[in-house]
Amino acid sequence: MLKWIDERLGAAHWARKGLKKVFPDHWSFLLGEIALFSFIILLLTGTYLTLFYRPDAAPVIYDGPYQPLHGREMSAAYESVLRLSYEVRAGLVMRQIHHWAALVFVASIVAHMVRVFFTGAFRKPREINWMVGVTLLVLAIGMGFTGYSLPDDLLSGTGLRIAYSAVISIPFVGPYLGFLVFGGEFPTEGIISRLFVLHVMLLPAIIIGLIVAHLAVLWRQKHTQFAGKGRAESNVVGKAFWPQQFFKSFGLMLLTGAALALLGGLVQINAVWSYGPFDASAVSAPSQPDWYVGWLEGAIRLFPAFEPTILGVTIPSMLIPAVVIPGIGFTVMALWPFIEQRVTKDRDAHHILDRPRDRPARSAIGMGGILYVTLLTIAGGNDVLALTFNVPIEAMVWFLRIGLFVIPVIGGFITYRLCTEMQESGAQPARRRRGVRLRRNAEGGFEEVSRD
Amino acid sequence: MKSVRWIFASFFVSMVGSLGLVVYYLIGESAQVEGILLGLALGGMGFGVVGWATRLMDVPTVVEEREPLESSDAAMSQMEGMVGQDAVTRRKMLLRLAGGASATLGAALAIPALSLGPRPGQSLEETKWTPGARIVDRLGNPQRPGDIPLNGIKTVFPSGFEGEADSQTVVIKIEPELLDLPEGREDWAPDGCVAFSKICTHAGCPVGLYRAEARQLLCPCHQSTFDVTTGCTPVFGPAARPLPQLPMEVDEVGFLVAMGDFPEPVGPSFWNMETE
Ligand code: HEM
Ligand code: FES
């Protein structure tokens, strides 16, 4: 078999080189792999769903097995999701695995980015892959959003109308753009089939292309590694891809699938039958988006009622929280490697990773950013939280509005101090599990014995 | 070999899970059981493969040298020479023309995208409410002031447009002496019935929660709160504009009718919105 291929492709040379490729061993390098594996599971389950789902807004009267909705008018799309959940054998488990995989997919991308950020893995020559990564994050959120809207239930309509009001707030072209994207004034019949094309064709095709590019660049540039014995800027120390790394990654893929299968089977998610079909004039409280758009929901909730008229033009209140802030946020993120280069004047290539403490300022900014997004996400669920903890929602909103400016600064400052202190003390909190050796000192106390 | 027995067991568990799933598919339909069996099938194999890799593959740590990514100066200048060949760069005029042609071609290829939707025109400023339009509920029943209970709320539409999203309106009846409507709207509240657009001026959710004791309308999406007595002015939350009020009167046979469309655009603010 191998010979047959080699005679046609001359594969022995380059394939061997590929199989010998060295992978440094560190758990944090697995986060990106989990993202890839979740995406594969999304492709498989999504393809299955596509065979049953109908992207059609035409009204039908429900007469399936789910009694509470009997005789209700609903879109063919919503009916097909009910059918998937109640009549197609293994349909419900596929739907739920798909939705759980979407949550894990975005979560692992975020975790992967956090790792890359705090270790400075984005520095020259890896700026390209950092920008590809930010684009993938945006597209992943887009996939989640379009998917969430496909079942055409009461909740998914809420996300769509908020997106519509964000689009029509855009300067100059807003209303035109909104009518082009949605095919008219919200709600439109055609939007379901447009979202479907985006969700199952256009966006996945772009994502696959970018993932291939991401991995090709990674292959060419080789992995980064943490400093350590025998490791230098000029080499990569680790295990060969074949067989051990390959088996490990393959096993990790199966384990990711297993975790998602258990979640999808045992933990109910997006029980669309209980929300009812979309209805433009129905209330849907409390409406909660998936976690990865919670920050946007939070920004929209916290932004004050501010709609000034300047030179006769009213600035729609959605413009700043839903368009300008996310726009600036993702742009700064994408350009971060260049911003940092400009500030530090460090334009050299780096293949040895920083520890977060080595760059207190970057770590402080990163922590501030994480806290900012976390607070926004909390704000995205403020009605549920206010109800759960029995605090007035007004107090909650004001606490978060002020906290948004204070808490990230305090968190950043503490991070900075922690980093500089850890630099001085040489503490190794991440390596605790190896134990430390203590020595009784002259005063009767204990002190750590350094081990290297 | 004792420590690796679990690796064998893992593959065995996986087979049991897979076969179980095949059998269960034919006889049952619980998502829970399917999830557990699929989890065993994948998880067993996953543990087995990882165990195999970490316990039984004793491979050495290797060092791979990193060749510099950038090419030599000679190779670089060769490449630059190749790209910037005379035949390409000397024709400045042609280059510019080709650039211009590409831009016009881009426009030509993009123009069909305009078929995706109509131009907005006046449609964001207008709804289906017209002077004399009967106020009906979702089923088309016309409404008299007496059909609305005191401190009650009802979702209504213009007759003939039941369910029309941009025309959805709520009618609320409150004690007339509590009303403190803006100037010029004194006769828009027959018998204490006031009608407001149901579409939130923040992001367009239906404002359907009525807090009767406070006489406030609450939007479930981002908790914007509107004071009904003062003409649905926003008192809390991110909405900045009042809900537009529908001019409403009682016709000669006693039914509620609109006197015209909403005086301002309904729903979320948009760019270039007309405001007075
Ligand atoms: C980046 C990857 C993806 C993400 C984040 C994602 C996310 C989602 C989400 C959140 C839903 C709503 C599920 C629910 O009903 O609870 C959904 C539905 C759906 N997805 Fe995906 N998806 C992805 C990839 C795919 C792919 C590649 C396909 C097809 C080839 C696909 C096909 C579908 C279909 C047909 C539905 C509607 C059926 C239903 O809701 O039950 N998805 N997706
Ligand atoms: S849509 Fe009503 S508060 Fe946001």
Side-chain angles (χ1 to χ4, degrees):
Chain A
M1 227 290 268
L2 288 176
K3 188 157 171 56
W4 192 92
I5 296 174
D6 186 60
E7 279 166 5
R8 269 138 263 250
L9 296 172
H13 179 65
W14 53 261
R16 207 176 86 87
K17 211 171 141 203
L19 293 178
K20 263 174 55 186
K21 189 169 174 60
V22 169
F23 280 67
D25 228 354
H26 194 269
W27 64 267
S28 67
F29 289 20
L30 299 180
L31 297 168
E33 290 192 22
I34 294 179
L36 178 64
F37 302 149
S38 323
F39 181 66
I40 293 172
I41 288 156
L42 283 163
L43 281 177
L44 296 175
T45 50
T47 306
Y48 188 82
L49 297 179
T50 308
L51 300 175
F52 299 93
Y53 174 79
R54 279 182 61 192
D56 185 355
V60 295
I61 304 290
Y62 185 67
D63 63 352
Y66 183 63
Q67 288 304 325
L69 289 177
H70 235 258
R72 274 282 283 280
E73 185 177 307
M74 57 181 62
S75 66
Y78 184 70
E79 192 210 25
S80 74
V81 176
L82 289 184
R83 188 151 22 84
L84 255 168
S85 310
Y86 279 99
E87 290 164 75
V88 176
R89 221 172 246 196
L92 180 60
V93 80
M94 287 287 184
R95 257 197 70 220
Q96 298 197 141
I97 293 177
H98 191 72
H99 205 131
W100 274 111
L103 303 191
V104 170
F105 178 53
V106 189
S108 49
I109 294 179
V110 170
H112 174 59
M113 287 188 88
V114 167
R115 189 289 275 183
V116 168
F117 181 86
F118 282 97
T119 59
F122 56 79
R123 290 171 299 171
K124 187 182 168 186
R126 296 184 176 75
E127 305 97 324
I128 303 176
N129 252 2
W130 170 263
M131 288 192 292
V132 171
V134 174
T135 315
L136 278 168
L137 173 65
V138 175
L139 292 173
I141 294 175
M143 278 304 274
F145 179 78
T146 51
Y148 189 81
S149 309
L150 288 181
D152 202 27
D153 58 296
L154 201 50
L155 276 191
S156 65
T158 305
L160 276 180
R161 78 173 90 233
I162 292 170
Y164 170 78
S165 46
V167 175
I168 60 174
S169 77
I170 293 173
F172 307 109
V173 294
Y176 296 92
L177 202 61
F179 273 53
L180 287 184
V181 173
F182 284 77
E185 186 178 357
F186 184 86
T188 50
E189 293 236 314
I191 191 65
I192 291 284
S193 52
R194 290 184 183 188
L195 292 171
F196 183 66
V197 171
L198 284 174
H199 188 78
V200 308
M201 195 182 93
L202 233 50
L203 291 177
I206 301 174
I207 289 180
I208 290 171
L210 287 177
I211 289 178
V212 170
H214 201 71
L215 297 180
V217 171
L218 167 86
W219 203 267
R220 176 82 185 97
Q221 296 179 336
K222 301 203 169 92
H223 281 275
T224 53
Q225 60 192 350
F226 282 105
K229 220 178 250 154
R231 299 181 184 173
E233 288 283 359
S234 62
N235 66 14
V236 198
V237 178
K239 302 276 170 72
F241 177 62
W242 181 266
Q244 198 191 31
Q245 291 298 333
F246 175 83
F247 271 62
K248 263 194 190 166
S249 294
F250 185 64
L252 183 64
M253 175 160 89
L254 294 169
L255 290 176
T256 309
L260 291 173
L262 290 175
L263 279 170
L266 299 178
V267 190
Q268 188 181 68
I269 187 164
N270 206 16
V272 290
W273 52 89
S274 67
Y275 310 144
F278 175 69
D279 174 349
S281 57
V283 195
S284 48
S287 52
Q288 292 294 300
D290 275 347
W291 75 267
Y292 45 80
V293 278
W295 58 274
L296 187 55
E297 175 84 0
I300 291 169
R301 288 185 184 198
L302 287 191
F303 195 75
F306 179 63
E307 208 159 70
T309 299
I310 300 167
L311 301 175
V313 180
T314 304
I315 311 294
S317 62
M318 287 291 278
L319 179 63
I320 293 175
V323 181
V324 176
I325 290 180
I328 294 179
F330 281 116
T331 310
V332 169
M333 232 157 109
L335 297 180
W336 179 262
F338 307 102
I339 297 172
E340 194 181 291
Q341 268 172 29
R342 181 156 294 189
V343 175
T344 60
K345 308 267 185 311
D346 174 2
R347 296 201 162 76
D348 295 336
H350 294 276
H351 305 290
I352 295 279
L353 294 171
D354 292 327
R355 293 174 308 173
R357 77 184 68 165
D358 298 332
R359 298 278 176 267
R362 178 205 293 148
S363 297
I365 292 172
M367 182 53 82
I370 290 177
L371 287 170
Y372 191 80
V373 175
T374 308
L375 285 168
L376 285 180
T377 307
I378 291 174
N382 61 2
D383 53 338
V384 177
L385 289 174
L387 214 65
T388 318
F389 296 109
N390 209 6
V391 287
I393 186 124
E394 287 81 358
M396 185 100 191
V397 165
W398 277 106
F399 170 77
L400 286 166
R401 276 180 184 164
I402 298 168
L404 212 49
F405 291 93
V406 180
I407 294 173
V409 176
I410 297 177
F413 182 74
I414 294 175
T415 308
Y416 193 92
R417 288 300 306 270
L418 230 72
C419 287
T420 47
E421 260 163 42
M422 274 160 65
Q423 269 178 14
E424 282 155 22
S425 73
Q428 296 279 15
R431 294 203 197 145
R432 250 318 136 60
R433 64 198 147 83
R434 291 192 189 165
V436 289
R437 197 183 297 162
L438 296 181
R439 174 171 68 194
R440 197 99 192 237
N441 63 15
E443 290 90 62
F446 289 96
E447 62 185 26
E448 217 176 287
V449 183
S450 89
R451 315 180 101 228
D452 17 56
Chain B
M1 275 318 264
K2 186 159 173 287
S3 72
V4 296
R5 214 171 273 160
W6 61 271
I7 301 178
F8 289 88
S10 300
F11 283 106
F12 188 70
V13 166
S14 170
M15 272 194 270
V16 172
S18 298
L19 292 178
L21 190 56
V22 171
V23 173
Y24 185 75
Y25 178 87
L26 300 174
I27 57 169
E29 49 188 35
S30 143
Q32 281 90 339
V33 178
E34 286 160 356
I36 291 173
L37 291 174
L38 185 57
L40 286 179
L42 291 167
M45 194 150 152
F47 269 110
V49 172
V50 170
W52 188 354
T54 51
R55 295 295 164 87
L56 301 177
M57 289 179 188
D58 220 0
V59 291
T61 298
V62 283
V63 180
E64 190 180 352
E65 289 309 312
R66 207 186 267 288
E67 305 101 46
L69 282 167
E70 66 266 29
S71 317
S72 67
D73 288 346
M76 196 59 208
S77 60
Q78 265 175 10
M79 212 266 289
E80 277 166 358
M82 174 92 196
V83 173
Q85 280 177 33
D86 275 1
V88 180
T89 48
R90 232 186 40 218
R91 306 271 177 189
K92 286 266 154 42
M93 190 60 208
L94 269 184
L95 263 183
R96 263 183 230 130
L97 262 178
S102 307
T104 46
L105 180 64
L109 295 181
I111 197 76
L114 293 187
S115 310
L116 285 174
R119 302 168 121 258
Q122 282 298 302
S123 53
L124 287 176
E125 321 263 352
E126 291 167 357
T127 71
K128 297 287 187 296
W129 289 103
T130 48
R134 275 248 167 102
I135 286 172
V136 301
D137 67 11
R138 182 182 294 274
L139 300 174
N141 303 314
Q143 303 290 312
R144 300 169 195 272
D147 297 335
I148 320 278
L150 185 65
N151 240 336
I153 175 171
K154 200 169 242 180
T155 300
V156 298
F157 297 91
S159 177
F161 296 98
E162 294 81 8
E164 184 77 25
D166 74 349
S167 307
Q168 53 181 303
T169 300
V170 287
V171 176
I172 297 166
K173 187 189 228 170
I174 57 182
E175 300 84 344
E177 61 276 13
L178 289 182
L179 281 177
D180 182 18
L181 295 173
E183 285 238 347
R185 300 194 193 166
E186 293 78 10
D187 51 356
W188 290 14
D191 283 343
C193 291
V194 280
F196 294 94
S197 163
K198 196 181 175 180
I199 313 174
C200 188
T201 51
H202 177 230
C205 288
V207 188
L209 300 178
Y210 182 53
R211 280 189 190 155
E213 72 294 352
R215 278 138 192 111
Q216 285 176 340
L217 271 172
L218 181 80
C219 179
C221 281
H222 316 111
Q223 295 80 45
S224 284
T225 310
F226 302 90
D227 182 351
V228 177
T229 60
T230 58
C232 277
T233 44
V235 290
F236 175 74
R241 285 190 301 135
L243 297 173
Q245 186 175 357
L246 186 74
M248 184 169 67
E249 61 183 358
V250 175
D251 68 4
E252 58 281 6
V253 283
F255 288 117
L256 290 168
V257 294
M259 292 189 272
D261 202 349
F262 293 101
E264 304 113 36
V266 299
S269 302
F270 48 94
W271 190 262
N272 230 350
M273 183 175 65
E274 276 169 36
T275 44
E276 62 276 16

